[in-house]
Amino acid sequence: MHDLIIIGGGPAGLTAALYAGRSRLKTLLIEKMSLGGQIILSPAIENFPGFPGAIETSKLILAMQQQIEELGIEVKTDEAIKIAHYSGFKVCARESEYQAKTLIVSSGACSKKLNIPGEEKLMAKGVSYCGTCDGPLFKAKEIVVVGGGDKAVEEAIYLTKFGSKVTLIHRRESLRASKILQERIFENKKIEILWNSIPQEILGGNFVEGLKIKNLKDNRIRDMACSAVFIFIGIHPHTEFLKGLVKLDEQGFILTDEDMQTSLDGLFAAGDCRKKTLTQVITACGDGATAAFCANRYLEMKGL
Ligand code: NAP
């Protein structure tokens, strides 16, 4: 029996583990892949306080990992698939079952899909959701990026390192991305923006050869040649294993109060898997710290 199980080892989970370790809670962190979460797909973080310029993501995650190792936090590679609640919590995972008095879910999110013809078939054959992973495969090729948020704009700029040209396709006439990123994309000569447009189909046999694009103003549809389509249209939370146990919003994000407490007493949530205003590494870390503090307070108040 652990005092605390943390599900998910991104910045939220790692920070929760740091605070739980310092409170001397017997803590287990379960992560289905490698520590770091979604952010590991970005090469650097420019807006983490204390690092002028940027901090390499891998360095930041490694430092967080070292901090929890120094505190003796147990880390297991496993994937939670169901949670049972009795007086405590039982986490049923692929490899094993684990029990704890309290739980923090920091299971993060993954990229949303466009769900258009060709997307599934050409995945990893030119369709990608990660510039860092796949950008180098498209040296001197024409690249399309879909989306208008921070992620799409950041990745479009990054992909100009490789592509001969990058076209950003956005469904509206203004970007959602922060102003500093907008300034950078507008001054980048290798990027063209197609406004009021959505991809309707990704074309290609064995590899991506192009796109069918619809202009939402005049409804005209045209074909455009390209070798890669990078899709960054938002995130989908990893919360399927919580359905029926805690309150989720219509998109599956976990509802919490400001103490990170979910609708089920003793179960806390932190980071991108919960409904929140700002999904950033720094806010995920803040969530993790609050969740661990409140989980510890919950154990003390219940005398557990
Ligand atoms: P996001 O902010 O939700 O933006 C998603 C973009 O995709 C929006 O421009 C949206 O258009 C568009 N979109 C959504 N569904 C679409 C569809 N079916 N077809 C075409 N376009 C569609 O998502 P994100 O950029 O992945 O970022 C997720 C979170 O991480 C955000 O909170 C973001 O601020 C944060 N983030 C921050 C940084 C940073 O600070 N450096 C970097 C990356 C991510 P509309 O604008 O019309 O809705």
Side-chain angles (χ1 to χ4, degrees):
M1 171 66 80
H2 293 86
D3 292 323
L4 169 67
I5 292 176
I6 299 168
I7 300 175
L14 288 166
T15 310
L18 169 64
Y19 277 68
R22 291 171 62 83
S23 295
R24 299 289 185 235
L25 297 184
K26 187 174 179 236
T27 303
L28 169 68
L29 189 154
I30 301 173
E31 165 57 50
K32 68 175 175 181
M33 287 160 73
S34 53
L35 293 175
Q38 279 182 98
I39 193 65
I40 214 76
L41 303 177
S42 296
I45 307 169
E46 289 184 16
N47 54 5
F48 199 84
F51 297 98
I55 167 94
E56 273 177 49
T57 308
S58 53
K59 277 193 187 152
L60 183 66
I61 296 301
L62 193 62
M64 289 182 181
Q65 190 178 340
Q66 276 166 2
Q67 272 179 308
I68 69 161
E69 277 168 9
E70 283 167 13
L71 289 163
I73 301 291
E74 190 186 349
V75 178
K76 281 226 153 77
T77 306
D78 209 342
E79 182 179 1
I81 42 179
K82 194 169 184 297
I83 289 168
H85 176 55
Y86 50 105
S87 54
F89 295 92
K90 183 162 85 177
V91 178
C92 307
R94 291 216 182 273
E95 304 288 329
S96 191
E97 288 184 355
Y98 312 92
Q99 298 197 56
K101 298 170 190 167
T102 180
L103 210 61
I104 296 175
V105 175
S106 46
S107 47
C110 60
S111 306
K112 275 207 289 199
K113 309 263 182 306
L114 277 168
N115 292 321
I116 55 170
E119 183 178 16
E120 181 97 41
K121 183 184 102 176
L122 294 165
M123 207 175 281
K125 294 171 183 162
V127 172
S128 173
Y129 305 85
C130 175
T132 316
C133 322
D134 299 328
L137 302 172
F138 301 100
K139 285 206 177 94
K141 299 274 196 306
E142 296 220 356
I143 295 174
V144 163
V145 172
V146 185
D150 281 330
K151 185 86 179 144
V153 170
E154 241 178 32
E155 295 275 0
I157 294 166
Y158 175 73
L159 287 165
T160 58
K161 283 184 184 210
F162 311 105
S164 54
K165 181 183 171 189
V166 174
T167 305
L168 184 89
I169 299 183
H170 181 40
R171 64 182 178 183
R172 289 187 297 124
E173 221 156 44
S174 61
L175 297 169
R176 181 180 292 278
S178 60
K179 286 285 182 293
I180 189 165
L181 289 173
Q182 292 195 29
E183 285 163 17
R184 278 189 220 157
I185 199 166
F186 292 144
E187 70 193 21
N188 192 316
K189 300 275 181 293
K190 278 178 90 175
I191 301 178
E192 185 190 345
I193 305 183
L194 275 189
W195 302 105
N196 303 307
S197 302
I198 48 162
Q200 290 225 302
E201 184 177 349
I202 302 174
L203 308 168
N206 290 330
F207 294 97
V208 168
E209 289 162 22
L211 270 179
K212 252 188 207 318
I213 302 165
K214 181 176 182 181
N215 182 308
L216 296 172
K217 282 243 153 126
D218 58 19
N219 286 328
R220 286 228 302 261
I221 295 174
R222 69 174 173 104
D223 287 359
M224 177 185 165
C226 66
S227 304
V229 182
F230 286 83
I231 300 162
F232 305 108
I233 57 164
I235 54 175
H236 174 75
H238 289 301
T239 55
E240 287 74 15
F241 62 98
L242 291 173
K243 273 189 188 139
L245 190 70
V246 296
K247 279 192 187 150
L248 308 174
D249 76 357
E250 62 289 349
Q251 293 180 64
F253 290 95
I254 305 165
L255 301 176
T256 69
D257 65 12
E258 64 176 28
D259 288 344
M260 308 300 136
Q261 171 65 62
T262 66
S263 58
L264 180 59
D265 203 27
L267 197 160
F268 299 83
D272 287 3
C273 61
R274 82 178 185 96
K275 184 178 169 64
K276 58 194 291 196
T277 309
L278 184 62
T279 46
Q280 298 277 299
V281 178
I282 189 67
T283 58
C285 293
D287 283 4
T290 304
F293 175 83
C294 294
N296 186 45
R297 193 177 59 183
Y298 166 85
L299 292 172
E300 284 174 357
M301 278 166 50
K302 298 273 177 188
L304 296 168

